[in-house]
Coordinates of all heavy atoms in Angstrom, one line a residue:
M1 N -14.7 22.6 10.4 CA -15.2 22.1 11.6 C -15.1 23.2 12.6 O -14.2 24.1 12.6 CB -14.5 20.9 12.1 CG -15.2 20.2 13.2 SD -14.5 18.6 13.7 CE -14.8 17.6 12.3
S2 N -16.0 23.3 13.6 CA -16.0 24.3 14.6 C -15.3 23.8 15.9 O -15.0 22.6 16.0 CB -17.5 24.5 15.0 OG -18.1 23.4 15.6
Y3 N -15.0 24.7 16.8 CA -14.3 24.3 18.0 C -15.2 23.3 18.8 O -14.7 22.3 19.3 CB -14.1 25.6 18.9 CG -13.2 26.6 18.4 CD1 -13.6 27.8 18.0 CD2 -11.8 26.3 18.4 CE1 -12.7 28.8 17.5 CE2 -10.9 27.2 17.9 CZ -11.3 28.5 17.5 OH -10.4 29.4 17.0
L4 N -16.5 23.6 18.9 CA -17.4 22.8 19.5 C -17.5 21.4 18.9 O -17.4 20.4 19.5 CB -18.8 23.4 19.6 CG -19.9 22.5 20.2 CD1 -19.6 22.3 21.7 CD2 -21.3 23.2 20.1
G5 N -17.6 21.4 17.5 CA -17.7 20.2 16.8 C -16.4 19.3 17.0 O -16.5 18.1 17.1
E6 N -15.3 19.9 17.0 CA -14.0 19.2 17.2 C -14.0 18.5 18.6 O -13.7 17.4 18.8 CB -12.8 20.1 17.1 CG -12.5 20.6 15.7 CD -11.4 21.5 15.7 OE1 -10.5 21.5 16.6 OE2 -11.3 22.3 14.7
A7 N -14.5 19.3 19.6 CA -14.5 18.7 21.0 C -15.5 17.6 21.1 O -15.2 16.5 21.7 CB -14.9 19.8 22.0
I8 N -16.7 17.7 20.5 CA -17.7 16.6 20.5 C -17.1 15.4 19.9 O -17.2 14.3 20.4 CB -19.0 17.1 19.9 CG1 -19.7 18.2 20.7 CG2 -20.0 15.9 19.7 CD1 -20.9 18.8 20.0
K9 N -16.6 15.5 18.7 CA -16.1 14.4 17.9 C -14.9 13.7 18.7 O -14.9 12.5 18.8 CB -15.6 14.8 16.6 CG -15.2 13.7 15.7 CD -14.9 14.2 14.3 CE -14.5 13.0 13.4 NZ -14.3 13.4 12.0
Q10 N -14.0 14.5 19.2 CA -12.9 13.9 20.0 C -13.3 13.2 21.2 O -12.9 12.1 21.5 CB -11.9 15.1 20.4 CG -10.7 14.5 21.1 CD -9.7 15.6 21.5 OE1 -9.9 16.8 21.1 NE2 -8.8 15.3 22.3
R11 N -14.2 13.8 22.0 CA -14.7 13.2 23.2 C -15.5 11.9 22.9 O -15.4 10.9 23.6 CB -15.5 14.1 24.0 CG -16.0 13.6 25.3 CD -14.8 13.4 26.2 NE -15.3 13.0 27.5 CZ -14.5 12.4 28.4 NH1 -13.2 12.2 28.2 NH2 -15.0 12.0 29.6
R12 N -16.3 12.0 21.8 CA -17.1 10.8 21.4 C -16.1 9.6 21.0 O -16.3 8.5 21.4 CB -17.9 11.2 20.2 CG -18.9 10.1 19.7 CD -19.8 10.6 18.7 NE -19.3 11.1 17.5 CZ -18.9 10.3 16.5 NH1 -19.0 9.0 16.6 NH2 -18.4 10.8 15.4
A13 N -15.0 10.0 20.3 CA -14.0 8.9 20.0 C -13.3 8.4 21.2 O -13.1 7.2 21.3 CB -13.0 9.5 19.0
E14 N -13.0 9.3 22.1 CA -12.3 8.8 23.4 C -13.2 7.8 24.2 O -12.7 6.9 24.8 CB -12.0 10.0 24.3 CG -10.9 10.9 23.8 CD -10.8 12.2 24.6 OE1 -11.6 12.4 25.5 OE2 -9.9 13.0 24.2
R15 N -14.5 8.0 24.1 CA -15.4 7.2 24.8 C -16.0 6.1 24.0 O -16.8 5.3 24.4 CB -16.6 8.0 25.4 CG -16.0 9.1 26.3 CD -17.1 9.7 27.2 NE -17.6 8.7 28.2 CZ -18.8 8.6 28.5 NH1 -19.7 9.4 28.1 NH2 -19.2 7.7 29.4
S16 N -15.5 5.9 22.8 CA -15.9 4.9 21.8 C -17.4 4.9 21.7 O -18.0 3.8 21.7 CB -15.4 3.5 22.3 OG -14.0 3.5 22.4
M17 N -17.9 6.1 21.4 CA -19.4 6.2 21.3 C -19.7 6.5 19.8 O -19.0 7.3 19.2 CB -19.9 7.3 22.2 CG -19.8 7.1 23.6 SD -20.3 8.5 24.6 CE -22.1 8.2 24.6
S18 N -20.8 6.0 19.3 CA -21.2 6.3 18.0 C -22.1 7.6 18.1 O -22.4 8.0 19.1 CB -22.1 5.2 17.4 OG -23.3 5.1 18.1
L19 N -22.3 8.2 16.9 CA -23.2 9.3 16.9 C -24.6 9.0 17.5 O -25.1 9.7 18.3 CB -23.5 9.8 15.4 CG -22.4 10.6 14.8 CD1 -22.7 10.7 13.3 CD2 -22.3 12.0 15.4
Q20 N -25.1 7.8 17.2 CA -26.4 7.3 17.7 C -26.3 7.2 19.3 O -27.2 7.5 20.0 CB -26.8 6.0 17.1 CG -28.2 5.7 17.4 CD -29.2 6.7 16.8 OE1 -29.2 6.9 15.6 NE2 -30.0 7.3 17.7
D21 N -25.2 6.7 19.8 CA -25.0 6.5 21.2 C -25.1 7.9 21.9 O -25.9 8.1 22.9 CB -23.6 6.0 21.6 CG -23.5 4.5 21.2 OD1 -24.5 3.8 21.0 OD2 -22.3 4.1 21.0
V22 N -24.4 8.9 21.4 CA -24.5 10.2 21.9 C -25.9 10.8 21.8 O -26.4 11.4 22.8 CB -23.4 11.2 21.3 CG1 -23.6 12.6 21.8 CG2 -22.0 10.7 21.5
A23 N -26.5 10.7 20.7 CA -27.8 11.2 20.4 C -28.8 10.6 21.4 O -29.6 11.3 22.0 CB -28.2 11.0 19.0
D24 N -28.7 9.3 21.6 CA -29.7 8.6 22.5 C -29.5 9.1 23.9 O -30.5 9.4 24.6 CB -29.5 7.1 22.4 CG -30.0 6.5 21.1 OD1 -30.7 7.2 20.4 OD2 -29.6 5.3 20.9
E25 N -28.2 9.2 24.4 CA -28.0 9.6 25.8 C -28.3 11.0 26.0 O -28.8 11.4 27.1 CB -26.5 9.3 26.1 CG -26.2 7.9 26.3 CD -25.1 7.6 27.3 OE1 -24.9 8.4 28.2 OE2 -24.4 6.6 27.1
A26 N -28.1 11.9 25.0 CA -28.4 13.3 25.1 C -29.9 13.6 24.8 O -30.3 14.8 24.9 CB -27.5 14.1 24.3
K27 N -30.6 12.6 24.3 CA -32.0 12.8 23.8 C -32.1 13.9 22.7 O -33.0 14.7 22.7 CB -32.9 13.1 25.0 CG -33.0 12.0 26.0 CD -33.9 12.3 27.2 CE -34.1 11.2 28.2 NZ -32.9 10.7 28.8
L28 N -31.1 13.8 21.8 CA -31.1 14.6 20.6 C -31.2 13.8 19.4 O -30.9 12.6 19.5 CB -29.8 15.5 20.6 CG -29.5 16.4 21.8 CD1 -28.1 16.9 21.7 CD2 -30.5 17.5 21.7
S29 N -31.4 14.4 18.3 CA -31.4 13.5 17.1 C -30.0 13.3 16.6 O -29.1 14.1 16.9 CB -32.2 14.2 15.9 OG -31.5 15.4 15.4
K30 N -29.8 12.2 16.0 CA -28.5 11.9 15.4 C -28.0 13.0 14.5 O -26.9 13.4 14.4 CB -28.5 10.5 14.7 CG -27.2 10.0 14.2 CD -27.4 8.7 13.5 CE -26.2 8.2 12.7 NZ -26.4 6.9 12.1
T31 N -29.0 13.5 13.7 CA -28.7 14.5 12.7 C -28.2 15.8 13.4 O -27.3 16.4 12.9 CB -29.9 14.8 11.8 OG1 -30.4 13.6 11.2 CG2 -29.7 15.9 10.8
H32 N -28.8 16.1 14.5 CA -28.4 17.3 15.2 C -27.0 17.2 15.8 O -26.2 18.1 15.7 CB -29.4 17.7 16.4 CG -29.1 19.0 17.0 ND1 -29.0 20.1 16.3 CD2 -28.9 19.3 18.3 CE1 -28.8 21.1 17.2 NE2 -28.7 20.6 18.4
V33 N -26.7 16.0 16.3 CA -25.3 15.8 16.8 C -24.3 15.9 15.7 O -23.3 16.5 15.8 CB -25.2 14.4 17.6 CG1 -23.8 14.2 18.0 CG2 -26.1 14.4 18.8
W34 N -24.7 15.3 14.5 CA -23.8 15.3 13.3 C -23.6 16.7 12.9 O -22.5 17.1 12.5 CB -24.5 14.4 12.3 CG -23.8 14.4 10.9 CD1 -24.2 15.1 9.8 CD2 -22.6 13.8 10.6 NE1 -23.4 14.8 8.8 CE2 -22.3 14.1 9.2 CE3 -21.6 13.1 11.3 CZ2 -21.2 13.6 8.5 CZ3 -20.5 12.6 10.6 CH2 -20.3 12.9 9.3
D35 N -24.7 17.5 12.8 CA -24.6 18.9 12.4 C -23.7 19.7 13.3 O -23.0 20.6 12.9 CB -26.0 19.6 12.3 CG -26.8 19.1 11.1 OD1 -26.2 18.5 10.2 OD2 -28.0 19.3 11.1
L36 N -23.8 19.5 14.6 CA -22.9 20.1 15.6 C -21.5 19.8 15.4 O -20.6 20.6 15.4 CB -23.3 19.8 17.0 CG -24.6 20.5 17.5 CD1 -25.0 19.8 18.8 CD2 -24.4 22.0 17.7
E37 N -21.2 18.5 15.1 CA -19.8 18.0 14.9 C -19.3 18.7 13.6 O -18.1 19.0 13.6 CB -19.8 16.5 14.7 CG -19.7 15.8 16.0 CD -19.3 14.3 15.8 OE1 -18.8 13.9 14.7 OE2 -19.4 13.6 16.8
R38 N -20.1 18.8 12.6 CA -19.6 19.3 11.3 C -19.6 20.9 11.2 O -19.2 21.4 10.3 CB -20.5 18.8 10.2 CG -20.3 17.3 10.0 CD -19.0 17.0 9.4 NE -18.7 15.6 9.4 CZ -17.5 15.1 9.7 NH1 -16.5 15.9 9.9 NH2 -17.3 13.8 9.7
G39 N -20.1 21.5 12.3 CA -20.2 23.0 12.3 C -21.3 23.5 11.5 O -21.4 24.7 11.3
R40 N -22.3 22.7 11.2 CA -23.4 23.2 10.4 C -24.5 23.8 11.3 O -25.3 24.6 10.9 CB -24.1 22.0 9.7 CG -23.2 21.5 8.6 CD -23.9 20.3 7.8 NE -23.0 19.7 6.9 CZ -23.0 18.5 6.6 NH1 -23.9 17.7 7.1 NH2 -22.1 18.0 5.7
S41 N -24.4 23.4 12.6 CA -25.3 24.0 13.6 C -24.4 24.7 14.6 O -23.6 24.0 15.3 CB -26.2 23.0 14.2 OG -27.0 23.5 15.2
R42 N -24.4 26.0 14.7 CA -23.5 26.7 15.5 C -24.1 27.4 16.7 O -23.4 28.2 17.4 CB -22.7 27.7 14.7 CG -21.8 27.0 13.7 CD -21.0 28.0 12.9 NE -20.0 27.3 12.1 CZ -18.7 27.5 12.1 NH1 -18.2 28.5 12.7 NH2 -18.0 26.8 11.3
N43 N -25.3 27.2 17.0 CA -26.0 27.9 18.1 C -26.9 27.0 18.9 O -28.1 27.1 18.9 CB -26.8 29.1 17.5 CG -27.2 30.0 18.6 OD1 -26.7 30.0 19.7 ND2 -28.2 30.9 18.3
P44 N -26.3 26.0 19.5 CA -27.1 25.0 20.2 C -27.7 25.6 21.5 O -27.2 26.6 22.0 CB -26.1 23.9 20.6 CG -24.8 24.6 20.7 CD -24.9 25.7 19.6
S45 N -28.8 25.1 21.9 CA -29.5 25.6 23.1 C -28.7 25.2 24.3 O -27.9 24.3 24.3 CB -30.9 25.1 23.2 OG -30.9 23.7 23.5
V46 N -28.9 26.0 25.4 CA -28.2 25.6 26.7 C -28.6 24.2 27.1 O -27.8 23.4 27.5 CB -28.6 26.6 27.8 CG1 -28.1 26.2 29.1 CG2 -28.1 28.0 27.4
K47 N -29.9 23.8 26.9 CA -30.3 22.5 27.3 C -29.6 21.4 26.4 O -29.1 20.4 27.0 CB -31.8 22.3 27.1 CG -32.3 20.9 27.4 CD -33.8 20.8 27.5 CE -34.3 19.5 27.8 NZ -33.4 18.4 28.1
S48 N -29.4 21.7 25.1 CA -28.7 20.7 24.3 C -27.2 20.6 24.8 O -26.7 19.5 24.8 CB -28.7 21.2 22.8 OG -30.0 21.1 22.3
L49 N -26.6 21.7 25.1 CA -25.2 21.7 25.6 C -25.1 20.9 26.9 O -24.2 20.1 27.1 CB -24.7 23.1 25.8 CG -24.4 23.8 24.5 CD1 -23.9 25.3 24.9 CD2 -23.3 23.2 23.7
L50 N -26.1 21.1 27.8 CA -26.1 20.4 29.1 C -26.3 18.9 28.9 O -25.6 18.1 29.5 CB -27.2 20.9 30.0 CG -26.9 22.3 30.6 CD1 -28.2 22.9 31.3 CD2 -25.7 22.4 31.5
D51 N -27.2 18.6 28.0 CA -27.5 17.1 27.7 C -26.3 16.5 27.0 O -25.9 15.3 27.3 CB -28.7 17.0 26.8 CG -30.0 17.4 27.5 OD1 -30.0 17.4 28.8 OD2 -31.0 17.7 26.8
L52 N -25.6 17.2 26.1 CA -24.4 16.7 25.5 C -23.3 16.5 26.5 O -22.6 15.5 26.4 CB -24.0 17.6 24.3 CG -24.6 17.5 23.0 CD1 -24.2 18.6 22.1 CD2 -24.2 16.1 22.4
S53 N -23.1 17.5 27.3 CA -22.1 17.4 28.3 C -22.3 16.1 29.2 O -21.3 15.5 29.6 CB -21.9 18.6 29.1 OG -23.0 18.8 30.0
A54 N -23.5 15.9 29.6 CA -23.8 14.7 30.4 C -23.5 13.4 29.7 O -22.9 12.5 30.2 CB -25.3 14.7 30.9
A55 N -24.0 13.4 28.4 CA -23.8 12.2 27.6 C -22.3 11.9 27.3 O -21.9 10.8 27.3 CB -24.5 12.3 26.2
L56 N -21.5 13.0 27.2 CA -20.1 12.8 26.9 C -19.2 12.9 28.1 O -18.0 12.7 28.0 CB -19.6 13.9 25.9 CG -20.3 13.9 24.5 CD1 -20.0 15.2 23.8 CD2 -19.7 12.7 23.8
D57 N -19.8 13.1 29.3 CA -19.1 13.2 30.6 C -18.0 14.3 30.5 O -16.8 14.0 30.7 CB -18.5 11.8 31.0 CG -18.0 11.8 32.4 OD1 -18.6 12.6 33.2 OD2 -17.1 11.1 32.7
I58 N -18.4 15.5 30.2 CA -17.5 16.6 30.0 C -18.2 17.8 30.7 O -19.4 17.9 30.7 CB -17.2 16.9 28.5 CG1 -16.1 17.9 28.4 CG2 -18.4 17.3 27.8 CD1 -15.6 18.0 27.0
D59 N -17.3 18.6 31.3 CA -17.8 19.8 32.0 C -18.6 20.7 31.0 O -18.1 21.1 29.9 CB -16.6 20.6 32.5 CG -17.0 21.8 33.3 OD1 -18.0 22.4 33.1 OD2 -16.1 22.2 34.2
P60 N -19.9 21.0 31.4 CA -20.7 21.8 30.5 C -20.1 23.2 30.2 O -20.4 23.8 29.1 CB -22.0 21.9 31.2 CG -21.8 21.6 32.6 CD -20.6 20.7 32.6
T61 N -19.3 23.8 31.1 CA -18.8 25.1 30.8 C -17.8 25.0 29.7 O -17.6 26.0 28.9 CB -18.1 25.7 32.0 OG1 -17.1 24.9 32.5 CG2 -19.1 25.9 33.1
I62 N -17.1 23.9 29.5 CA -16.2 23.7 28.3 C -17.0 23.8 27.0 O -16.6 24.5 26.1 CB -15.4 22.4 28.5 CG1 -14.5 22.5 29.7 CG2 -14.6 22.1 27.2 CD1 -13.8 21.2 30.0
L63 N -18.1 23.0 26.9 CA -18.9 23.0 25.7 C -19.5 24.4 25.5 O -19.5 24.9 24.3 CB -19.9 21.9 25.8 CG -19.5 20.5 25.7 CD1 -20.7 19.6 25.7 CD2 -18.5 20.2 24.6
A64 N -19.9 25.0 26.5 CA -20.5 26.4 26.4 C -19.5 27.4 25.9 O -19.8 28.2 25.0 CB -21.1 26.9 27.7
G65 N -18.3 27.3 26.4 CA -17.2 28.2 25.9 C -16.9 28.0 24.5 O -16.7 28.9 23.7
L66 N -16.8 26.7 24.1 CA -16.5 26.4 22.7 C -17.7 26.8 21.8 O -17.4 27.3 20.7 CB -16.3 24.9 22.5 CG -15.0 24.4 23.3 CD1 -14.9 22.9 23.3 CD2 -13.7 25.0 22.6
A67 N -18.9 26.7 22.2 CA -20.0 27.1 21.4 C -20.0 28.6 21.2 O -20.3 29.1 20.1 CB -21.4 26.7 22.1
F68 N -19.6 29.3 22.3 CA -19.5 30.8 22.2 C -18.4 31.2 21.2 O -18.6 32.1 20.5 CB -19.2 31.4 23.6 CG -19.1 32.9 23.6 CD1 -20.2 33.7 23.6 CD2 -17.8 33.4 23.7 CE1 -20.0 35.1 23.6 CE2 -17.7 34.8 23.7 CZ -18.8 35.6 23.6
A69 N -17.3 30.5 21.3 CA -16.2 30.8 20.4 C -16.6 30.6 18.9 O -15.9 31.2 18.0 CB -15.0 29.9 20.7
D70 N -17.6 29.8 18.6 CA -18.0 29.5 17.3 C -18.9 30.6 16.7 O -19.2 30.6 15.5 CB -18.7 28.2 17.2 CG -17.8 27.0 17.2 OD1 -16.6 27.2 17.0 OD2 -18.3 25.9 17.6
L71 N -19.4 31.5 17.5 CA -20.3 32.5 17.1 C -19.6 33.6 16.2 O -18.5 33.9 16.4 CB -21.0 33.3 18.3 CG -21.9 32.4 19.1 CD1 -22.4 33.2 20.3 CD2 -23.1 31.9 18.3
P72 N -20.3 34.0 15.1 CA -19.7 35.0 14.2 C -19.3 36.3 15.0 O -20.0 36.7 15.9 CB -20.8 35.3 13.3 CG -21.8 34.2 13.4 CD -21.7 33.7 14.8
G73 N -18.1 36.8 14.7 CA -17.6 38.0 15.3 C -16.8 37.8 16.6 O -16.3 38.7 17.1
V74 N -16.8 36.6 17.1 CA -16.0 36.3 18.3 C -14.6 35.9 17.9 O -14.4 35.0 17.1 CB -16.7 35.2 19.1 CG1 -15.8 34.8 20.3 CG2 -18.1 35.5 19.6
V75 N -13.7 36.7 18.4 CA -12.3 36.4 18.1 C -11.7 35.6 19.2 O -11.7 36.0 20.4 CB -11.5 37.8 17.9 CG1 -10.1 37.5 17.6 CG2 -12.1 38.6 16.8
T76 N -11.1 34.5 18.9 CA -10.4 33.6 19.8 C -9.1 33.3 19.4 O -8.7 33.3 18.2 CB -11.2 32.3 20.1 OG1 -11.3 31.6 18.8 CG2 -12.6 32.6 20.6
K77 N -8.2 32.9 20.3 CA -6.9 32.4 20.0 C -6.8 31.0 20.4 O -7.2 30.6 21.5 CB -5.8 33.2 20.7 CG -5.7 34.6 20.3 CD -4.6 35.3 21.1 CE -4.5 36.7 20.7 NZ -3.4 37.4 21.5
R78 N -6.3 30.1 19.5 CA -6.1 28.7 19.9 C -4.9 28.6 20.7 O -3.9 29.2 20.4 CB -6.0 27.9 18.6 CG -7.3 27.7 17.9 CD -7.1 26.5 16.9 NE -8.4 26.3 16.3 CZ -9.0 25.1 16.4 NH1 -8.4 24.1 16.9 NH2 -10.2 24.9 15.8
R79 N -4.9 27.8 21.7 CA -3.7 27.5 22.5 C -2.9 26.5 21.8 O -3.5 25.5 21.3 CB -4.1 27.1 23.9 CG -4.8 28.2 24.6 CD -5.1 27.7 26.0 NE -5.8 28.7 26.7 CZ -6.1 28.7 28.0 NH1 -5.7 27.7 28.7 NH2 -6.7 29.7 28.6
S80 N -1.6 26.6 21.8 CA -0.8 25.6 21.2 C -0.3 24.6 22.2 O -0.4 24.7 23.3 CB 0.4 26.2 20.5 OG 0.6 27.5 20.7

């Protein structure tokens, strides 16, 4: 799983939202949200990140930073 995927899944669970709920609110396909959660899609558009952040009620800069951390060649350190 990716950093972004972990954050989406965790926030979705905190808000008791299904994949379909998030997809509907973000105007994305359920498959796309699922692929992001599973790390199968690692380069979401800025619009998708903004729409997801609104649907999940989370700061878009957090999702953007996590998406950036998932890009190949980017070295990050996890905070404990």
Side-chain angles (χ1 to χ4, degrees):
M1 192 176 291
S2 66
Y3 294 110
L4 178 62
E6 288 176 25
I8 293 170
K9 186 174 183 177
Q10 180 180 353
R11 185 64 175 164
R12 185 170 65 79
E14 288 170 0
R15 299 198 68 219
S16 300
M17 296 176 80
S18 69
L19 281 169
Q20 191 64 59
D21 293 336
V22 174
D24 289 347
E25 287 208 30
K27 295 180 178 60
L28 299 171
S29 72
K30 181 178 170 182
T31 303
H32 188 54
V33 176
W34 175 252
D35 285 344
L36 287 168
E37 276 195 13
R38 294 287 170 220
R40 292 181 187 148
S41 178
R42 293 183 174 229
N43 193 15
S45 69
V46 171
K47 181 170 179 359
S48 291
L49 289 174
L50 291 172
D51 292 342
L52 277 170
S53 68
L56 295 168
D57 192 29
I58 189 170
D59 186 331
T61 60
I62 292 172
L63 292 185
L66 293 170
F68 179 77
D70 286 337
L71 294 175
V74 175
V75 177
T76 60
K77 292 182 181 177
R78 285 195 176 236
R79 293 183 183 189
S80 9

